[in-house]
Amino acid sequence: MATEQQDLPEQIACKAQPLGISFHPSLNLLSAGLVDGSVELHNYGSSTKHRIKDLHPGASSRSTNFLSDDKLLSAGSDGSIHILDTNSMKAQLSFSKAHESP
């Protein structure tokens, strides 16, 4: 049986257990919402990683989803939703009690 060698990205490691992930629609980016309330943004074409701590303090980040090329949504178990700018990694909009928990 012939095998093909593939160029695979390095393994992605998160600082805490990921609960939700999302792939960017056109870039080599992966977002991960973590059980500790943080969100990590990984560039899987390089070893670059950005971490936003305490985005959902005392709660977990249950879901992440890219809204556009530079906007990322994160929903937490505390009922909050944050829309982040992926260039600055800062929250652009935040809504508390935006959805039912979890």
Side-chain angles (χ1 to χ4, degrees), residues 16 28 31 36 70 82 93:
N28 290 336
S31 66
D36 69 357
D70 61 352
H82 300 282
L93 292 171

PDB file of all heavy atoms in Angstrom, residues 16 28 31 36 70 82 93:
ATOM      1  N   ALA A  16      -6.475  25.096  28.727  1.00  0.00           N
ATOM      2  CA  ALA A  16      -7.548  24.436  29.484  1.00  0.00           C
ATOM      3  C   ALA A  16      -8.384  23.629  28.496  1.00  0.00           C
ATOM      4  O   ALA A  16      -8.190  23.723  27.283  1.00  0.00           O
ATOM      5  CB  ALA A  16      -8.404  25.473  30.210  1.00  0.00           C
ATOM      6  N   ASN A  28      -6.054  30.627   8.172  1.00  0.00           N
ATOM      7  CA  ASN A  28      -5.599  29.477   8.957  1.00  0.00           C
ATOM      8  C   ASN A  28      -5.756  29.736  10.446  1.00  0.00           C
ATOM      9  O   ASN A  28      -4.803  29.657  11.219  1.00  0.00           O
ATOM     10  CB  ASN A  28      -4.140  29.148   8.644  1.00  0.00           C
ATOM     11  CG  ASN A  28      -3.954  28.588   7.263  1.00  0.00           C
ATOM     12  OD1 ASN A  28      -4.884  28.039   6.684  1.00  0.00           O
ATOM     13  ND2 ASN A  28      -2.763  28.725   6.724  1.00  0.00           N
ATOM     14  N   SER A  31     -10.421  29.110  16.555  1.00  0.00           N
ATOM     15  CA  SER A  31     -10.733  29.663  17.870  1.00  0.00           C
ATOM     16  C   SER A  31     -11.193  28.529  18.765  1.00  0.00           C
ATOM     17  O   SER A  31     -11.818  27.566  18.313  1.00  0.00           O
ATOM     18  CB  SER A  31     -11.816  30.736  17.768  1.00  0.00           C
ATOM     19  OG  SER A  31     -13.042  30.167  17.360  1.00  0.00           O
ATOM     20  N   ASP A  36     -12.223  27.349  31.322  1.00  0.00           N
ATOM     21  CA  ASP A  36     -11.874  28.362  32.322  1.00  0.00           C
ATOM     22  C   ASP A  36     -12.388  29.756  31.969  1.00  0.00           C
ATOM     23  O   ASP A  36     -12.077  30.727  32.649  1.00  0.00           O
ATOM     24  CB  ASP A  36     -10.359  28.389  32.556  1.00  0.00           C
ATOM     25  CG  ASP A  36      -9.565  28.915  31.369  1.00  0.00           C
ATOM     26  OD1 ASP A  36     -10.161  29.227  30.314  1.00  0.00           O
ATOM     27  OD2 ASP A  36      -8.327  29.000  31.494  1.00  0.00           O
ATOM     28  N   ASP A  70     -12.817  39.447  10.597  1.00  0.00           N
ATOM     29  CA  ASP A  70     -12.160  40.005  11.775  1.00  0.00           C
ATOM     30  C   ASP A  70     -13.046  40.067  13.018  1.00  0.00           C
ATOM     31  O   ASP A  70     -12.723  40.755  13.972  1.00  0.00           O
ATOM     32  CB  ASP A  70     -11.598  41.388  11.469  1.00  0.00           C
ATOM     33  CG  ASP A  70     -12.674  42.383  11.058  1.00  0.00           C
ATOM     34  OD1 ASP A  70     -13.838  41.987  10.861  1.00  0.00           O
ATOM     35  OD2 ASP A  70     -12.339  43.575  10.948  1.00  0.00           O
ATOM     36  N   HIS A  82     -19.908  37.853  23.785  1.00  0.00           N
ATOM     37  CA  HIS A  82     -18.916  38.880  23.467  1.00  0.00           C
ATOM     38  C   HIS A  82     -18.572  38.768  21.988  1.00  0.00           C
ATOM     39  O   HIS A  82     -18.420  37.666  21.461  1.00  0.00           O
ATOM     40  CB  HIS A  82     -17.643  38.694  24.286  1.00  0.00           C
ATOM     41  CG  HIS A  82     -17.863  38.757  25.754  1.00  0.00           C
ATOM     42  ND1 HIS A  82     -18.025  39.937  26.437  1.00  0.00           N
ATOM     43  CD2 HIS A  82     -17.970  37.767  26.680  1.00  0.00           C
ATOM     44  CE1 HIS A  82     -18.209  39.684  27.719  1.00  0.00           C
ATOM     45  NE2 HIS A  82     -18.190  38.366  27.886  1.00  0.00           N
ATOM     46  N   LEU A  93     -18.166  44.376  21.461  1.00  0.00           N
ATOM     47  CA  LEU A  93     -19.508  44.424  22.046  1.00  0.00           C
ATOM     48  C   LEU A  93     -19.621  43.326  23.079  1.00  0.00           C
ATOM     49  O   LEU A  93     -19.089  42.230  22.888  1.00  0.00           O
ATOM     50  CB  LEU A  93     -20.586  44.211  20.977  1.00  0.00           C
ATOM     51  CG  LEU A  93     -20.786  45.283  19.933  1.00  0.00           C
ATOM     52  CD1 LEU A  93     -21.740  44.791  18.844  1.00  0.00           C
ATOM     53  CD2 LEU A  93     -21.363  46.537  20.572  1.00  0.00           C
TER      54      LEU A  93
END
